[in-house]
Amino acid sequence: MKKVSVVGLGYIGLPTALIAAQAGYEVCGFDVNREKVDKINTGDSVIFEPEISDRLWDVLSKSTFRAYKDLQYADCFLIAVPTPFNADKTADLSYVYNASELVARRVMPGNLVILESTVPVGTTERVVEIIQDISGLKSGVDFFVAYCPERVLPGKIFKELIDNDRVIGGTCQRACELARMFYGKFVKGFLHITDDKSAEMVKLVENSSRDVQIAFANQVAGMCYSAGIDPFTVIDLANRHPRVKILSPGCGVGGHCIAIDPYFLIEKFPQDTHLLQAARFVNEQKPDYVVQQVQEKIIELQDHGILRPRVLSLGLTFKPNIDDIRESPALKIAQTLAHMHHEIDFVAYDHNVGKVEMKRLGFDVVTDLWYELKQADIVVVLVKHKEFNCIRDHMLEGKVVIDPCGLLHDLYAHQTHAFLEGAVRLQQGMHKTVA
Ligand SMILES: NC(=O)c1ccc[n+]([C@@H]2O[C@H](COP(=O)([O-])OP(=O)(O)OC[C@H]3O[C@@H](n4cnc5c(N)ncnc54)[C@H](O)[C@@H]3O)[C@@H](O)[C@H]2O)c1
């Protein structure tokens, strides 16, 4: 296997293409977004991810990778296209089926086709049918298909592409062997072999498990706020139990994976997903809960004569230290607050989101965090970007701080108990009175 065509040059496809090229494959990337293809070929890595720029320049200069506007013939086709959901939360598999049709027009005897997109159980079977119907070739005899889900963490994609264990779900023995050979060239983690349906299910239960655990943490937070205590302290202490590992609460769940993938199971197995449905409900409600907390504080400030308080929200992305805003609860909260412009003077700050994108989202571009902190009456911490670790106690003096993701707890945790008490009061959204 020498030549690889990667279909879809996004957060997953592009890094995988680069790693494969650096591992010795001749890699042709293909994307339907023609502008993206042009940018990538000029060395613009398009996505925000550590190491990506250097790796892209490396493979472009060695001519082991190039992006194309049409799909190139290859020994192995790797599909990494989006799998969003429709307005009614059913899976939108149109990108996967469209990519499969394109592959079907290029596939040759002996080729391997790998699907990496996260998909509902049974989708790989449908991909096989599409390729067979169009190409006239037979799966398991002429060409071979495997489902190999991706489980990387944005921000650490290259490390995890290499180090993580991978699940290889072959539709036949030969597909498993070929996929193992393909990944074996750059994956140091263990390659676990199974069938395609099991691999599809593995990916979906991994992300659904995270969703359920985050929902539990969010419910713990809700109970603690109602009881007037600090959820982050409670969770820290509960986690000292040798068999308890509660995750961190936040302002909701976002991204292209955890907020979507449980619905692929809920759609297919409605009777067996009550827990998943409840978790989705809890996590989807969380942004509204945060907005409600902000609204309550706005009214309190107005009652104290600050008629149009200035509200600063920190972070817009769906998790810290990335630029990805897909399904972001922080963005949803910020956009809701921005619509309250008759009552408040609203500013959103996120240095990871580019100026053009900020404008497209309808936000003013602000770049001076310290100035914005100084001007704000209410600070809403939505994402714990590394940059915010520099915020110090005196910068928040006299301000209302609403902190659903526990930045202040992290900042104060190593300090004295008196500071921690201050943090508790801040997280409850009261005026800051740090002892
Ligand atoms: N982003 C993550 O952290 C992550 C992690 C694990 C799994 N996944 C899964 O990987 C898949 C890809 O996600 P992503 O984040 O890379 O998406 P993305 O939106 O960043 O990239 C997908 C790319 O595919 C292109 N595309 C769409 N249809 C195409 C077609 N028919 N032919 C060629 N290109 C096409 C789009 O233009 C886009 O550039 C999804 O199923 C996602 O759930 C993502």
Side-chain angles (χ1 to χ4, degrees):
M1 210 184 312
K2 279 190 185 151
K3 193 168 170 184
V4 179
S5 261
V6 176
V7 187
L9 297 174
Y11 285 91
I12 296 300
L14 183 58
T16 306
L18 302 184
I19 285 267
Q22 289 186 311
Y25 293 109
E26 178 193 341
V27 181
C28 305
F30 161 59
D31 203 289
V32 288
N33 182 335
R34 301 170 78 83
E35 195 189 335
K36 197 179 233 186
V37 168
D38 287 334
K39 280 186 177 173
I40 290 171
N41 284 333
T42 58
D44 178 343
S45 51
V46 188
I47 58 166
F48 178 83
E49 177 65 32
E51 298 177 40
I52 194 162
S53 207
D54 290 349
R55 287 182 186 265
L56 176 58
W57 277 109
D58 180 47
V59 295
L60 284 174
S61 64
K62 290 178 181 150
S63 300
T64 49
F65 167 81
R66 195 174 162 74
Y68 292 86
K69 293 172 185 169
D70 51 1
L71 183 60
Q72 303 295 298
Y73 286 95
D75 304 311
C76 169
F77 296 91
L78 189 149
I79 300 173
V81 295
T83 44
F85 51 27
N86 298 302
D88 64 355
K89 308 278 167 78
T90 56
D92 174 2
L93 295 174
S94 58
Y95 300 93
V96 170
Y97 294 155
N98 182 268
S100 306
E101 287 170 18
L102 297 174
V103 168
R105 296 195 167 86
R106 292 282 182 275
V107 75
M108 304 283 279
N111 284 177
L112 169 68
V113 179
I114 295 175
L115 177 60
E116 279 205 5
S117 301
T118 306
V119 291
V121 176
T123 305
T124 308
E125 249 174 26
R126 182 72 198 114
V127 167
V128 166
E129 285 167 8
I130 291 171
I131 300 176
Q132 288 190 148
D133 288 351
I134 295 175
S135 68
L137 299 177
K138 192 156 174 44
S139 174
V141 178
D142 302 315
F143 69 96
F144 308 93
V145 179
Y147 178 68
C148 305
E150 188 48 73
R151 33 163 77 139
V152 290
L153 185 70
K156 286 190 183 170
I157 289 184
F158 288 103
K159 184 175 178 341
E160 296 214 346
L161 266 174
I162 295 167
D163 291 344
N164 286 358
D165 281 12
R166 278 201 94 107
V167 176
I168 293 178
T171 54
C172 64
Q173 187 61 34
R174 183 69 183 142
C176 294
E177 287 163 12
L178 288 172
R180 201 208 301 253
M181 273 163 53
F182 169 70
Y183 288 110
K185 266 204 165 182
F186 58 88
V187 174
K188 287 191 190 146
F190 197 84
L191 300 173
H192 302 268
I193 303 294
T194 184
D195 61 276
D196 52 320
K197 271 192 183 162
S198 301
E200 289 165 341
M201 184 62 101
V202 167
K203 174 67 192 173
L204 297 177
V205 297
E206 282 169 6
N207 280 349
S208 300
S209 153
R210 303 268 306 158
D211 197 44
V212 169
Q213 291 177 59
I214 296 167
F216 180 71
N218 280 333
Q219 294 249 277
V220 171
M223 290 185 282
C224 289
Y225 287 132
S226 298
I229 50 181
D230 174 27
F232 298 94
T233 302
V234 168
I235 290 172
D236 263 5
L237 295 176
N239 283 345
R240 304 295 159 106
H241 184 292
R243 286 169 294 285
V244 172
K245 183 78 194 87
I246 303 172
L247 299 184
S248 255
C251 66
V253 170
H256 193 28
C257 296
I258 300 179
I260 294 177
D261 301 350
Y263 285 113
F264 294 176
L265 292 173
I266 292 168
E267 181 186 353
K268 224 157 188 146
F269 313 104
Q271 296 310 317
D272 295 309
T273 49
H274 297 302
L275 184 59
L276 272 53
Q277 292 171 42
R280 280 287 71 222
F281 176 79
V282 169
N283 289 333
E284 284 185 353
Q285 293 290 306
K286 193 68 196 272
D288 297 339
Y289 175 83
V290 175
V291 169
Q292 196 186 321
Q293 278 191 318
V294 181
Q295 279 170 327
E296 282 169 15
K297 295 300 157 194
I298 291 168
I299 293 168
E300 272 180 34
L301 289 186
Q302 286 170 336
D303 287 348
H304 282 85
I306 304 175
L307 298 182
R308 195 159 178 265
R310 188 168 169 98
V311 179
L312 168 68
S313 78
L314 299 180
L316 289 173
T317 55
F318 83 84
K319 64 192 290 276
N321 311 318
I322 57 166
D323 67 342
D324 194 343
I325 51 165
R326 289 177 294 179
E327 310 295 327
S328 169
L331 176 63
K332 188 179 169 197
I333 294 166
Q335 283 179 326
T336 309
L337 295 175
H339 276 109
M340 295 164 57
H341 52 86
H342 295 299
E343 289 171 76
I344 58 171
D345 182 11
F346 179 73
V347 181
Y349 177 91
D350 194 321
H351 67 293
N352 288 324
V353 180
K355 288 180 183 169
V356 176
E357 186 68 346
M358 286 297 274
K359 282 187 187 153
R360 188 187 69 79
L361 294 167
F363 298 118
D364 289 338
V365 177
V366 293
T367 50
D368 187 341
L369 174 60
W370 314 124
Y371 173 81
E372 296 305 333
L373 280 171
K374 210 169 167 188
Q375 296 300 310
D377 298 301
I378 299 178
V379 179
V380 193
V381 187
L382 298 175
V383 187
K384 285 199 286 187
H385 286 316
K386 269 189 290 200
E387 186 192 11
F388 304 147
N389 290 340
C390 302
I391 295 175
R392 288 288 162 262
D393 203 42
H394 64 274
M395 299 171 188
L396 299 171
E397 204 144 330
K399 300 180 191 307
V400 174
V401 182
I402 295 171
D403 181 22
C405 55
L407 176 78
L408 295 177
H409 178 84
D410 291 358
L411 296 182
Y412 299 140
H414 63 284
Q415 299 183 28
T416 64
H417 185 64
F419 274 93
L420 204 54
E421 275 183 12
V424 172
R425 288 197 291 277
L426 285 166
Q427 281 151 8
Q428 288 174 311
M430 295 169 66
H431 284 89
K432 188 164 177 278
T433 48
V434 175

